[in-house]
Amino acid sequence: MPDGPRPAGTRRWWRRCTPWVFAGPATVLFGFFFAYPLLAGLYQSFTADRDGTTTWVGLAQYRRMLDDPVFWASLRNAGLILLVQVPTMIVLALALAHGLNQSWLRFRATLRIAYFLPAVTTLVAYSVVFRVLLKTDGGMVNQLLGAAGLPEADWLNSPGWARLALIGSITWRWTGYNAVILLAGLQAIGREQYEAAAIDGAGPVTAFTRVILPQLRPVILFCAVTSTIGTLQLFDENYVLTGGGPGDATMTPVLYLYKVGFEQLDFGYAAAIAWAIVVIIGLVSYAQFRLLGKDATR
C-alpha cells in the first residue's frame, strides 16, 4: 500500500474501533466471569434437579422460599445485626475519626495504622481468634470476667450471647476501616470553617453537629451503604464462630445459601436465595439513599 494519509472513512472507522480494541479484553473477562454466571444463576433459580434431570419449575423455588422458616429466620437475624451493628459502628467510627483529626494528637499516623490493621486481617483468621477468646471453658474473655468477679457467659452456645459475640467481632474489624474513610472526609473540610464557627460563638459540639456533620453526609452515606451490603452478605464470621447456631440464632441468608447449595446440593433453590439477597440489598440501599436525602449524593 502506498504511503500517505488514510481515507477519511478509514480514519473514522479506526476511531470508532480503537476504544473496543483496548476495552475488548476487559469486556470478555467481564462477560465470562460476571455476566454469564449472573444470568446462569438467574436461569437456575427457575429450575430444579429431579432425578438427575434439570427441570423448569418457574416460580416454584421462590414460592418455596416464602414458606421456608429458616430463610425468614436468617433474614430476621441479618436485620437485627444490621439495625444494631451498623449504626453503632458508624457512631464509633465517627468519634474515632474526630479524635484522630485533632491537631494536638501525637503519633496520629501510627494510631491511624493501628486502628486500620483489623481490616487487613483475613476474615477467617480473626474469626478463629474470636472463637478462641470467647470459648466458654478457658476462653480469655471469661477468664477476665471471672477475675473481675463478674458472671461468665456462654458466648457461642446461647442465642443472645452468640448474636452479641458476632456483632462485637464485626464491629471490632470494621470500625477502624470506616474511621479512616470518615477521617478523609473530615480532612477535606477546611480549618477556616471551624474558626468561623468559633467566631460565631458555636461550641465544639454545636460546630460539629451544625457545620461539620452535614458536610460529612456523603461519606456517612457511603459507609452506611457499604456496611449494609457487607452485613447482608455476612458469611465468614458466623460460619467460623457459630456455624449459624445455636439453632438458627446466627444464621444469615448467605450462610443459609451455602448450606442449601453445598450441603444439600439444591442449587436451584440456592440460586433463588441468591437473587432474593440481591433484590433485598438493592431495596435497602435505595432506602438509605432516600433516607439520607438527595443532598448527600451531590
Side-chain angles (χ1 to χ4, degrees):
M1 179 180 292
D3 296 335
R6 296 179 179 178
T10 303
R11 290 199 301 269
R12 286 195 299 269
W13 178 87
W14 180 250
R15 281 198 298 268
R16 287 196 298 266
C17 293
T18 299
W20 290 106
V21 172
F22 291 100
T27 303
V28 171
L29 292 174
F30 175 83
F32 187 76
F33 290 105
F34 183 80
Y36 171 73
L38 195 68
L39 296 176
L42 179 61
Y43 170 79
Q44 193 169 34
S45 69
F46 297 105
T47 65
D49 189 6
R50 295 174 178 174
D51 300 325
T53 303
T54 300
T55 305
W56 178 270
V57 294
L59 296 175
Q61 301 287 19
Y62 294 94
R63 289 194 293 266
R64 173 185 171 186
M65 193 186 309
L66 296 176
D67 297 325
D68 187 349
V70 180
F71 174 73
W72 289 107
S74 71
L75 284 183
R76 287 194 296 271
N77 293 333
L80 176 64
I81 296 171
L82 178 65
L83 292 175
V84 175
Q85 189 267 332
V86 173
T88 302
M89 179 182 62
I90 290 179
V91 169
L92 291 175
L94 190 58
L96 181 60
H98 185 62
L100 293 174
N101 195 42
Q102 302 305 310
S103 58
W104 50 263
L105 184 67
R106 300 182 62 186
F107 308 111
R108 284 184 293 174
T110 303
L111 289 173
R112 292 170 189 171
I113 294 173
Y115 283 114
F116 186 77
L117 278 178
V120 180
T121 59
T122 62
L123 293 169
V124 174
Y126 99 90
S127 300
V128 170
V129 171
F130 267 85
R131 184 175 178 83
V132 173
L133 292 174
L134 296 172
K135 286 174 58 179
T136 302
D137 299 324
M140 183 180 292
V141 175
N142 274 346
Q143 289 183 11
L144 293 175
L145 291 175
L150 299 173
E152 299 180 2
D154 193 4
W155 293 101
L156 303 178
N157 300 309
S158 173
W161 290 116
R163 293 189 184 102
L164 184 61
L166 184 59
I167 290 172
S169 65
I170 301 169
T171 303
W172 174 84
R173 188 177 196 271
W174 293 110
T175 296
Y177 172 85
N178 286 281
V180 170
I181 296 174
L182 291 167
L183 178 61
L186 285 172
Q187 291 178 336
I189 301 174
R191 289 289 175 183
E192 63 275 4
Q193 300 193 40
Y194 292 91
E195 296 171 359
I199 293 174
D200 289 339
V205 177
T206 303
F208 184 77
T209 56
R210 298 293 182 87
V211 178
I212 306 305
L213 196 58
Q215 299 184 66
L216 282 179
R217 288 177 67 185
V219 187
I220 294 173
L221 174 63
F222 172 81
C223 292
V225 171
T226 54
S227 299
T228 297
I229 293 172
T231 300
L232 293 174
Q233 293 179 336
L234 190 63
F235 171 77
D236 298 80
E237 291 90 340
N238 51 332
Y239 179 77
V240 175
L241 276 175
T242 62
D248 295 322
T250 56
M251 182 70 70
T252 55
V254 176
L255 179 57
Y256 184 49
L257 183 157
Y258 169 82
K259 290 181 176 293
V260 169
F262 294 97
E263 293 182 5
Q264 303 175 18
L265 300 180
D266 191 349
F267 294 109
Y269 188 40
I273 295 173
W275 273 96
I277 295 171
V278 170
V279 172
I280 291 170
I281 289 175
L283 292 175
V284 173
S285 300
Y286 175 76
Q288 288 178 319
F289 274 96
R290 296 290 296 178
L291 182 64
L292 291 178
K294 296 181 179 179
D295 292 337
T297 60
R298 293 178 180 175

